[in-house]
Amino acid sequence: MVKAYLIDDDPIQLRLTELLIKRTESFGQLQIFPTADRALGSLEGGEDAGELPDVILLDLNMPETDGWMFLSRFAEIMPELGKKIHIFILSSSIDENEIMRSRQYPFVSGFISKPISPAILEDILAQVS
């Protein structure tokens, strides 16, 4: 069972992605976070490695803690988590600079332009399974 976090501040995108994930039964468990801070709190909360997500779907453009800040903080806490977590950036941007910048993080498994599709979910599952 693949567990996933979905981090996005846009309630419409959150709902559409959630519905697609549920309809396709892509992930066995999905936790939704409207802010990166809440997701980081969950990751840093001392959860057992088995309770942590296998996949994080991360929006970049969010108020307060954006996706880039999340990635920097994740890089710091990653060694303590005891589990490999694949991060896929979900962005409405197709800016080549953002794609190149995301490649600086070895734990970022992909850069996906919104909206997400069933085929993209299949690709994500193929990478993490």
Side-chain angles (χ1 to χ4, degrees), residues 63-118:
E64 297 175 34
T65 302
D66 66 15
W68 300 116
M69 288 185 263
F70 176 92
L71 292 171
S72 294
R73 182 67 188 130
F74 184 85
E76 294 171 7
I77 66 171
M78 184 180 64
E80 303 162 15
L81 297 177
K83 180 177 185 176
K84 179 176 173 96
I85 299 173
H86 299 267
I87 297 180
F88 293 86
I89 294 173
L90 294 180
S91 180
S92 54
S93 169
I94 54 170
D95 183 343
E96 189 63 34
N97 291 326
E98 287 187 346
I99 295 169
M100 296 301 288
R101 184 176 175 190
S102 73
R103 292 183 181 147
Q104 295 175 5
Y105 298 94
F107 47 82
V108 172
S109 299
F111 192 102
I112 300 163
S113 294
K114 292 177 185 177
I116 199 164
S117 69

Short mmCIF file of all heavy atoms in Angstrom, two decimals, residues 63-118:
data_model
loop_
_atom_site.label_atom_id
_atom_site.label_comp_id
_atom_site.label_asym_id
_atom_site.label_seq_id
_atom_site.Cartn_x
_atom_site.Cartn_y
_atom_site.Cartn_z
N PRO A 63 1.84 30.44 -0.14
CA PRO A 63 2.22 31.53 0.76
C PRO A 63 2.98 30.99 1.97
O PRO A 63 2.98 29.78 2.23
CB PRO A 63 0.88 32.12 1.18
CG PRO A 63 -0.11 31.02 1.00
CD PRO A 63 0.42 30.19 -0.13
N GLU A 64 3.63 31.86 2.67
CA GLU A 64 4.41 31.52 3.85
C GLU A 64 5.53 30.55 3.49
O GLU A 64 6.52 30.96 2.92
CB GLU A 64 3.53 31.01 4.98
CG GLU A 64 2.54 32.04 5.48
CD GLU A 64 1.58 31.52 6.51
OE1 GLU A 64 1.99 30.67 7.31
OE2 GLU A 64 0.43 31.97 6.50
N THR A 65 5.38 29.28 3.77
CA THR A 65 6.40 28.30 3.42
C THR A 65 6.08 27.74 2.05
O THR A 65 5.11 26.99 1.88
CB THR A 65 6.44 27.16 4.47
OG1 THR A 65 6.69 27.73 5.76
CG2 THR A 65 7.52 26.15 4.14
N ASP A 66 6.89 28.11 1.06
CA ASP A 66 6.62 27.62 -0.29
C ASP A 66 7.30 26.27 -0.50
O ASP A 66 7.95 25.73 0.40
CB ASP A 66 7.03 28.65 -1.34
CG ASP A 66 8.54 28.90 -1.41
OD1 ASP A 66 9.34 28.12 -0.85
OD2 ASP A 66 8.93 29.90 -2.05
N GLY A 67 7.14 25.73 -1.68
CA GLY A 67 7.70 24.41 -1.97
C GLY A 67 9.21 24.37 -1.88
O GLY A 67 9.79 23.36 -1.45
N TRP A 68 9.88 25.45 -2.25
CA TRP A 68 11.34 25.50 -2.18
C TRP A 68 11.80 25.45 -0.73
O TRP A 68 12.78 24.76 -0.40
CB TRP A 68 11.89 26.73 -2.88
CG TRP A 68 11.53 26.77 -4.33
CD1 TRP A 68 10.74 27.69 -4.96
CD2 TRP A 68 11.92 25.83 -5.34
NE1 TRP A 68 10.62 27.39 -6.30
CE2 TRP A 68 11.34 26.25 -6.57
CE3 TRP A 68 12.71 24.67 -5.34
CZ2 TRP A 68 11.52 25.56 -7.76
CZ3 TRP A 68 12.89 23.99 -6.54
CH2 TRP A 68 12.31 24.43 -7.72
N MET A 69 11.13 26.18 0.15
CA MET A 69 11.47 26.14 1.57
C MET A 69 11.22 24.74 2.13
O MET A 69 11.99 24.23 2.95
CB MET A 69 10.69 27.20 2.35
CG MET A 69 11.17 28.60 2.08
SD MET A 69 10.33 29.81 3.13
CE MET A 69 9.05 30.37 2.02
N PHE A 70 10.11 24.11 1.69
CA PHE A 70 9.82 22.75 2.12
C PHE A 70 10.97 21.82 1.72
O PHE A 70 11.44 21.01 2.53
CB PHE A 70 8.51 22.26 1.50
CG PHE A 70 8.20 20.82 1.83
CD1 PHE A 70 7.44 20.51 2.94
CD2 PHE A 70 8.68 19.78 1.04
CE1 PHE A 70 7.16 19.19 3.25
CE2 PHE A 70 8.41 18.46 1.34
CZ PHE A 70 7.65 18.16 2.46
N LEU A 71 11.43 21.93 0.47
CA LEU A 71 12.50 21.05 0.00
C LEU A 71 13.79 21.26 0.80
O LEU A 71 14.48 20.28 1.14
CB LEU A 71 12.75 21.28 -1.49
CG LEU A 71 11.64 20.83 -2.43
CD1 LEU A 71 11.91 21.30 -3.85
CD2 LEU A 71 11.45 19.32 -2.38
N SER A 72 14.10 22.50 1.13
CA SER A 72 15.30 22.77 1.93
C SER A 72 15.19 22.16 3.31
O SER A 72 16.13 21.53 3.81
CB SER A 72 15.53 24.28 2.05
OG SER A 72 15.85 24.82 0.79
N ARG A 73 14.04 22.32 3.92
CA ARG A 73 13.84 21.74 5.27
C ARG A 73 13.81 20.21 5.19
O ARG A 73 14.36 19.53 6.05
CB ARG A 73 12.54 22.27 5.87
CG ARG A 73 12.26 21.76 7.26
CD ARG A 73 13.29 22.29 8.28
NE ARG A 73 13.08 21.61 9.54
CZ ARG A 73 14.03 21.02 10.24
NH1 ARG A 73 15.29 21.06 9.84
NH2 ARG A 73 13.76 20.41 11.37
N PHE A 74 13.19 19.66 4.16
CA PHE A 74 13.15 18.22 3.99
C PHE A 74 14.57 17.65 3.86
O PHE A 74 14.88 16.60 4.42
CB PHE A 74 12.31 17.84 2.77
CG PHE A 74 12.15 16.36 2.59
CD1 PHE A 74 11.14 15.68 3.27
CD2 PHE A 74 13.00 15.64 1.77
CE1 PHE A 74 10.99 14.32 3.13
CE2 PHE A 74 12.85 14.28 1.62
CZ PHE A 74 11.85 13.61 2.30
N ALA A 75 15.44 18.36 3.14
CA ALA A 75 16.82 17.91 2.99
C ALA A 75 17.51 17.79 4.35
O ALA A 75 18.33 16.89 4.56
CB ALA A 75 17.59 18.86 2.07
N GLU A 76 17.16 18.68 5.27
CA GLU A 76 17.75 18.65 6.62
C GLU A 76 17.23 17.48 7.45
O GLU A 76 17.99 16.86 8.19
CB GLU A 76 17.46 19.96 7.35
CG GLU A 76 18.12 21.17 6.74
CD GLU A 76 17.64 22.47 7.37
OE1 GLU A 76 16.88 22.43 8.37
OE2 GLU A 76 18.01 23.53 6.85
N ILE A 77 15.94 17.19 7.35
CA ILE A 77 15.36 16.15 8.21
C ILE A 77 15.37 14.76 7.58
O ILE A 77 15.19 13.77 8.28
CB ILE A 77 13.91 16.51 8.63
CG1 ILE A 77 12.97 16.53 7.43
CG2 ILE A 77 13.89 17.82 9.40
CD1 ILE A 77 11.50 16.67 7.80
N MET A 78 15.61 14.70 6.29
CA MET A 78 15.55 13.42 5.57
C MET A 78 16.39 12.32 6.21
O MET A 78 15.91 11.19 6.37
CB MET A 78 15.95 13.63 4.11
CG MET A 78 15.82 12.39 3.25
SD MET A 78 16.30 12.70 1.54
CE MET A 78 18.02 13.08 1.74
N PRO A 79 17.64 12.59 6.62
CA PRO A 79 18.43 11.50 7.21
C PRO A 79 17.83 10.91 8.48
O PRO A 79 18.06 9.74 8.81
CB PRO A 79 19.78 12.17 7.52
CG PRO A 79 19.84 13.36 6.62
CD PRO A 79 18.42 13.81 6.47
N GLU A 80 17.04 11.69 9.20
CA GLU A 80 16.43 11.23 10.45
C GLU A 80 15.15 10.43 10.23
O GLU A 80 14.67 9.76 11.15
CB GLU A 80 16.12 12.44 11.35
CG GLU A 80 17.33 13.28 11.66
CD GLU A 80 16.95 14.66 12.16
OE1 GLU A 80 15.77 14.87 12.54
OE2 GLU A 80 17.83 15.54 12.17
N LEU A 81 14.59 10.48 9.04
CA LEU A 81 13.29 9.85 8.79
C LEU A 81 13.38 8.33 8.71
O LEU A 81 12.42 7.65 9.03
CB LEU A 81 12.65 10.42 7.53
CG LEU A 81 12.32 11.92 7.57
CD1 LEU A 81 11.77 12.37 6.23
CD2 LEU A 81 11.35 12.23 8.69
N GLY A 82 14.48 7.81 8.23
CA GLY A 82 14.64 6.37 8.15
C GLY A 82 13.83 5.71 7.06
O GLY A 82 13.54 4.52 7.12
N LYS A 83 13.45 6.48 6.05
CA LYS A 83 12.64 5.95 4.96
C LYS A 83 12.88 6.78 3.71
O LYS A 83 12.96 8.01 3.79
CB LYS A 83 11.15 6.00 5.33
CG LYS A 83 10.23 5.47 4.26
CD LYS A 83 8.78 5.49 4.74
CE LYS A 83 7.88 4.84 3.71
NZ LYS A 83 6.50 4.76 4.19
N LYS A 84 12.97 6.13 2.57
CA LYS A 84 13.09 6.85 1.30
C LYS A 84 11.70 7.36 0.92
O LYS A 84 10.75 6.59 0.84
CB LYS A 84 13.64 5.95 0.21
CG LYS A 84 13.75 6.66 -1.12
CD LYS A 84 14.38 5.78 -2.16
CE LYS A 84 14.34 6.44 -3.52
NZ LYS A 84 15.52 7.13 -3.89
N ILE A 85 11.61 8.65 0.70
CA ILE A 85 10.36 9.29 0.30
C ILE A 85 10.59 9.97 -1.04
O ILE A 85 11.52 10.75 -1.20
CB ILE A 85 9.88 10.31 1.36
CG1 ILE A 85 9.64 9.62 2.70
CG2 ILE A 85 8.63 11.03 0.87
CD1 ILE A 85 9.33 10.55 3.84
N HIS A 86 9.76 9.65 -2.00
CA HIS A 86 9.85 10.24 -3.34
C HIS A 86 9.00 11.50 -3.38
O HIS A 86 7.81 11.46 -3.04
CB HIS A 86 9.31 9.28 -4.39
CG HIS A 86 10.06 7.98 -4.46
ND1 HIS A 86 11.12 7.79 -5.30
CD2 HIS A 86 9.91 6.84 -3.76
CE1 HIS A 86 11.58 6.56 -5.14
NE2 HIS A 86 10.87 5.97 -4.22
N ILE A 87 9.61 12.59 -3.80
CA ILE A 87 8.87 13.85 -3.93
C ILE A 87 8.68 14.16 -5.41
O ILE A 87 9.63 14.12 -6.19
CB ILE A 87 9.60 15.00 -3.22
CG1 ILE A 87 9.68 14.72 -1.72
CG2 ILE A 87 8.89 16.34 -3.50
CD1 ILE A 87 10.38 15.78 -0.91
N PHE A 88 7.43 14.45 -5.75
CA PHE A 88 7.08 14.87 -7.10
C PHE A 88 6.52 16.27 -7.00
O PHE A 88 5.56 16.50 -6.26
CB PHE A 88 6.05 13.93 -7.72
CG PHE A 88 6.58 12.55 -7.97
CD1 PHE A 88 6.55 11.60 -6.97
CD2 PHE A 88 7.13 12.22 -9.19
CE1 PHE A 88 7.06 10.32 -7.19
CE2 PHE A 88 7.64 10.95 -9.43
CZ PHE A 88 7.60 9.99 -8.42
N ILE A 89 7.13 17.18 -7.70
CA ILE A 89 6.66 18.56 -7.70
C ILE A 89 5.49 18.67 -8.67
O ILE A 89 5.57 18.21 -9.81
CB ILE A 89 7.79 19.53 -8.09
CG1 ILE A 89 8.85 19.50 -6.99
CG2 ILE A 89 7.25 20.93 -8.32
CD1 ILE A 89 10.10 20.27 -7.32
N LEU A 90 4.40 19.25 -8.19
CA LEU A 90 3.23 19.54 -9.01
C LEU A 90 3.16 21.05 -9.14
O LEU A 90 3.01 21.75 -8.15
CB LEU A 90 1.95 19.05 -8.35
CG LEU A 90 1.76 17.56 -8.17
CD1 LEU A 90 0.43 17.28 -7.48
CD2 LEU A 90 1.80 16.85 -9.50
N SER A 91 3.29 21.54 -10.35
CA SER A 91 3.32 22.98 -10.52
C SER A 91 2.51 23.40 -11.74
O SER A 91 2.45 22.67 -12.73
CB SER A 91 4.77 23.46 -10.69
OG SER A 91 4.82 24.85 -10.86
N SER A 92 1.92 24.57 -11.64
CA SER A 92 1.24 25.12 -12.81
C SER A 92 2.25 25.83 -13.72
O SER A 92 1.92 26.24 -14.82
CB SER A 92 0.14 26.09 -12.37
OG SER A 92 0.68 27.06 -11.51
N SER A 93 3.49 25.92 -13.26
CA SER A 93 4.55 26.55 -14.03
C SER A 93 5.28 25.51 -14.88
O SER A 93 5.43 24.36 -14.48
CB SER A 93 5.56 27.20 -13.07
OG SER A 93 6.72 27.59 -13.74
N ILE A 94 5.72 25.96 -16.04
CA ILE A 94 6.59 25.10 -16.85
C ILE A 94 7.92 25.83 -17.09
O ILE A 94 8.59 25.61 -18.09
CB ILE A 94 5.91 24.71 -18.19
CG1 ILE A 94 5.44 25.94 -18.95
CG2 ILE A 94 4.79 23.73 -17.98
CD1 ILE A 94 4.99 25.66 -20.37
N ASP A 95 8.27 26.66 -16.12
CA ASP A 95 9.50 27.44 -16.19
C ASP A 95 10.70 26.50 -16.13
O ASP A 95 10.88 25.75 -15.17
CB ASP A 95 9.52 28.42 -15.01
CG ASP A 95 10.73 29.33 -15.02
OD1 ASP A 95 11.72 29.04 -15.71
OD2 ASP A 95 10.68 30.35 -14.30
N GLU A 96 11.52 26.53 -17.15
CA GLU A 96 12.70 25.66 -17.24
C GLU A 96 13.64 25.87 -16.05
O GLU A 96 14.29 24.94 -15.58
CB GLU A 96 13.43 25.88 -18.57
CG GLU A 96 14.53 24.89 -18.83
CD GLU A 96 14.05 23.45 -18.97
OE1 GLU A 96 12.94 23.22 -19.49
OE2 GLU A 96 14.79 22.54 -18.56
N ASN A 97 13.72 27.11 -15.55
CA ASN A 97 14.57 27.39 -14.39
C ASN A 97 14.09 26.63 -13.15
O ASN A 97 14.91 26.14 -12.36
CB ASN A 97 14.62 28.89 -14.10
CG ASN A 97 15.37 29.65 -15.18
OD1 ASN A 97 16.33 29.15 -15.76
ND2 ASN A 97 14.91 30.86 -15.47
N GLU A 98 12.78 26.54 -12.97
CA GLU A 98 12.25 25.79 -11.83
C GLU A 98 12.51 24.30 -11.99
O GLU A 98 12.84 23.61 -11.03
CB GLU A 98 10.75 26.06 -11.65
CG GLU A 98 10.45 27.43 -11.11
CD GLU A 98 8.98 27.63 -10.78
OE1 GLU A 98 8.13 26.83 -11.20
OE2 GLU A 98 8.70 28.61 -10.07
N ILE A 99 12.38 23.80 -13.20
CA ILE A 99 12.66 22.39 -13.45
C ILE A 99 14.13 22.10 -13.15
O ILE A 99 14.45 21.12 -12.45
CB ILE A 99 12.29 22.00 -14.90
CG1 ILE A 99 10.78 22.15 -15.10
CG2 ILE A 99 12.76 20.59 -15.22
CD1 ILE A 99 10.33 22.06 -16.56
N MET A 100 15.03 22.94 -13.61
CA MET A 100 16.46 22.76 -13.36
C MET A 100 16.77 22.88 -11.86
O MET A 100 17.54 22.10 -11.31
CB MET A 100 17.28 23.78 -14.15
CG MET A 100 17.16 23.62 -15.66
SD MET A 100 17.69 22.00 -16.25
CE MET A 100 19.44 22.16 -16.04
N ARG A 101 16.15 23.84 -11.21
CA ARG A 101 16.38 24.02 -9.78
C ARG A 101 15.92 22.79 -9.00
O ARG A 101 16.55 22.38 -8.04
CB ARG A 101 15.64 25.27 -9.30
CG ARG A 101 15.86 25.61 -7.86
CD ARG A 101 15.17 26.90 -7.49
NE ARG A 101 15.28 27.17 -6.07
CZ ARG A 101 14.61 28.13 -5.44
NH1 ARG A 101 13.81 28.94 -6.12
NH2 ARG A 101 14.75 28.30 -4.14
N SER A 102 14.81 22.19 -9.41
CA SER A 102 14.30 21.01 -8.70
C SER A 102 15.26 19.83 -8.80
O SER A 102 15.29 18.98 -7.91
CB SER A 102 12.92 20.61 -9.24
OG SER A 102 13.02 20.02 -10.53
N ARG A 103 16.05 19.79 -9.86
CA ARG A 103 17.02 18.70 -10.04
C ARG A 103 18.19 18.79 -9.08
O ARG A 103 18.98 17.86 -8.97
CB ARG A 103 17.50 18.67 -11.48
CG ARG A 103 16.39 18.26 -12.43
CD ARG A 103 16.88 18.15 -13.85
NE ARG A 103 15.76 17.77 -14.72
CZ ARG A 103 15.62 18.16 -15.96
NH1 ARG A 103 16.54 18.92 -16.53
NH2 ARG A 103 14.58 17.77 -16.67
N GLN A 104 18.32 19.92 -8.38
CA GLN A 104 19.37 20.05 -7.37
C GLN A 104 19.09 19.20 -6.14
O GLN A 104 19.98 18.97 -5.34
CB GLN A 104 19.52 21.51 -6.95
CG GLN A 104 20.00 22.42 -8.06
CD GLN A 104 20.02 23.87 -7.64
OE1 GLN A 104 19.76 24.23 -6.49
NE2 GLN A 104 20.32 24.75 -8.59
N TYR A 105 17.86 18.76 -6.01
CA TYR A 105 17.47 17.94 -4.86
C TYR A 105 17.40 16.48 -5.31
O TYR A 105 16.50 16.11 -6.07
CB TYR A 105 16.11 18.39 -4.32
CG TYR A 105 16.12 19.81 -3.81
CD1 TYR A 105 15.75 20.87 -4.64
CD2 TYR A 105 16.50 20.09 -2.51
CE1 TYR A 105 15.76 22.18 -4.18
CE2 TYR A 105 16.52 21.40 -2.04
CZ TYR A 105 16.15 22.44 -2.88
OH TYR A 105 16.16 23.73 -2.41
N PRO A 106 18.31 15.64 -4.85
CA PRO A 106 18.35 14.25 -5.33
C PRO A 106 17.11 13.43 -4.97
O PRO A 106 16.84 12.42 -5.61
CB PRO A 106 19.60 13.68 -4.66
CG PRO A 106 19.91 14.59 -3.52
CD PRO A 106 19.36 15.93 -3.88
N PHE A 107 16.35 13.87 -4.00
CA PHE A 107 15.15 13.13 -3.59
C PHE A 107 13.90 13.55 -4.37
O PHE A 107 12.84 12.98 -4.18
CB PHE A 107 14.90 13.28 -2.08
CG PHE A 107 15.00 14.72 -1.60
CD1 PHE A 107 13.94 15.60 -1.74
CD2 PHE A 107 16.17 15.18 -1.03
CE1 PHE A 107 14.03 16.90 -1.33
CE2 PHE A 107 16.28 16.50 -0.59
CZ PHE A 107 15.22 17.36 -0.74
N VAL A 108 14.03 14.55 -5.26
CA VAL A 108 12.92 14.93 -6.13
C VAL A 108 12.91 13.97 -7.32
O VAL A 108 13.85 13.92 -8.09
CB VAL A 108 13.02 16.40 -6.59
CG1 VAL A 108 11.96 16.71 -7.64
CG2 VAL A 108 12.87 17.35 -5.40
N SER A 109 11.84 13.21 -7.41
CA SER A 109 11.74 12.17 -8.44
C SER A 109 11.12 12.64 -9.74
O SER A 109 11.17 11.93 -10.74
CB SER A 109 10.94 10.99 -7.90
OG SER A 109 11.57 10.44 -6.77
N GLY A 110 10.50 13.82 -9.74
CA GLY A 110 9.89 14.31 -10.96
C GLY A 110 9.28 15.68 -10.80
O GLY A 110 8.99 16.12 -9.69
N PHE A 111 9.08 16.35 -11.93
CA PHE A 111 8.46 17.66 -12.00
C PHE A 111 7.26 17.52 -12.93
O PHE A 111 7.43 17.20 -14.11
CB PHE A 111 9.45 18.69 -12.56
CG PHE A 111 9.01 20.12 -12.42
CD1 PHE A 111 9.54 20.91 -11.41
CD2 PHE A 111 8.09 20.68 -13.29
CE1 PHE A 111 9.15 22.24 -11.28
CE2 PHE A 111 7.70 22.00 -13.16
CZ PHE A 111 8.23 22.78 -12.15
N ILE A 112 6.08 17.71 -12.40
CA ILE A 112 4.84 17.45 -13.13
C ILE A 112 4.05 18.75 -13.26
O ILE A 112 3.82 19.45 -12.27
CB ILE A 112 4.00 16.39 -12.39
CG1 ILE A 112 4.79 15.08 -12.27
CG2 ILE A 112 2.65 16.19 -13.05
CD1 ILE A 112 4.26 14.13 -11.24
N SER A 113 3.62 19.04 -14.48
CA SER A 113 2.77 20.21 -14.70
C SER A 113 1.32 19.84 -14.39
O SER A 113 0.85 18.80 -14.81
CB SER A 113 2.88 20.69 -16.15
OG SER A 113 4.18 21.16 -16.40
N LYS A 114 0.66 20.73 -13.64
CA LYS A 114 -0.76 20.52 -13.34
C LYS A 114 -1.57 20.71 -14.60
O LYS A 114 -1.17 21.48 -15.47
CB LYS A 114 -1.23 21.53 -12.28
CG LYS A 114 -0.63 21.33 -10.93
CD LYS A 114 -1.14 22.43 -10.00
CE LYS A 114 -0.49 22.39 -8.65
NZ LYS A 114 -0.92 23.49 -7.80
N PRO A 115 -2.69 20.08 -14.72
CA PRO A 115 -3.30 19.16 -13.76
C PRO A 115 -2.73 17.75 -13.90
O PRO A 115 -2.22 17.37 -14.95
CB PRO A 115 -4.78 19.18 -14.15
CG PRO A 115 -4.77 19.42 -15.63
CD PRO A 115 -3.57 20.33 -15.87
N ILE A 116 -2.81 17.00 -12.83
CA ILE A 116 -2.34 15.62 -12.82
C ILE A 116 -3.35 14.75 -13.56
O ILE A 116 -4.53 15.10 -13.62
CB ILE A 116 -2.11 15.17 -11.36
CG1 ILE A 116 -1.21 13.95 -11.31
CG2 ILE A 116 -3.41 14.97 -10.63
CD1 ILE A 116 -0.64 13.67 -9.94
N SER A 117 -2.89 13.66 -14.11
CA SER A 117 -3.77 12.77 -14.88
C SER A 117 -3.59 11.33 -14.41
O SER A 117 -2.62 11.02 -13.72
CB SER A 117 -3.41 12.86 -16.37
OG SER A 117 -2.14 12.27 -16.60
N PRO A 118 -4.51 10.45 -14.79
CA PRO A 118 -4.34 9.04 -14.44
C PRO A 118 -3.02 8.46 -14.95
O PRO A 118 -2.37 7.67 -14.26
CB PRO A 118 -5.55 8.35 -15.10
CG PRO A 118 -6.59 9.43 -15.16
CD PRO A 118 -5.82 10.69 -15.43
#
